[in-house]
Amino acid sequence: MAKAQTKATNKYHAKAYDDLRIIVKKGQKEVIKAHAEKHGESINAFVGRAIAETMERDSAADQSKEAHHD
């Protein structure tokens, strides 16, 4: 990638995305990568999906708890 293209891409990413750094135990990165690739995803796509699905499940559980308290 040309220097100008890299600069443009980095500028776009800075405007459009937030960075999120996670730290995992030694060896877990390769386990996560293998799992993601097995499902046709990048690590980033897999982690994003895992977060979105967990948040959706948690929200449904929260709503269920609220419904039972009414």
Side-chain angles (χ1 to χ4, degrees):
M1 191 180 303
K3 196 179 276 190
Q5 181 63 43
T6 299
K7 186 176 178 180
T9 299
N10 290 342
K11 184 177 178 181
Y12 171 76
H13 283 176
K15 188 190 308 186
Y17 297 101
D18 287 326
D19 288 334
L20 178 65
R21 181 172 185 235
I22 64 169
I23 299 171
V24 295
K25 290 185 179 184
K26 285 281 187 193
Q28 277 300 105
K29 181 179 176 181
E30 288 305 314
V31 172
I32 294 165
K33 182 178 179 185
H35 180 87
E37 288 176 352
K38 180 179 176 183
H39 294 276
E41 295 177 303
S42 65
I43 292 175
N44 192 68
F46 167 66
V47 170
R49 180 172 61 86
I51 291 169
E53 289 178 3
T54 301
M55 289 174 65
E56 185 177 314
R57 190 171 52 244
D58 289 350
S59 291
D62 291 345
Q63 290 174 356
S64 177
K65 286 178 189 175
E66 290 171 5
H68 285 88
H69 285 115
D70 290 341

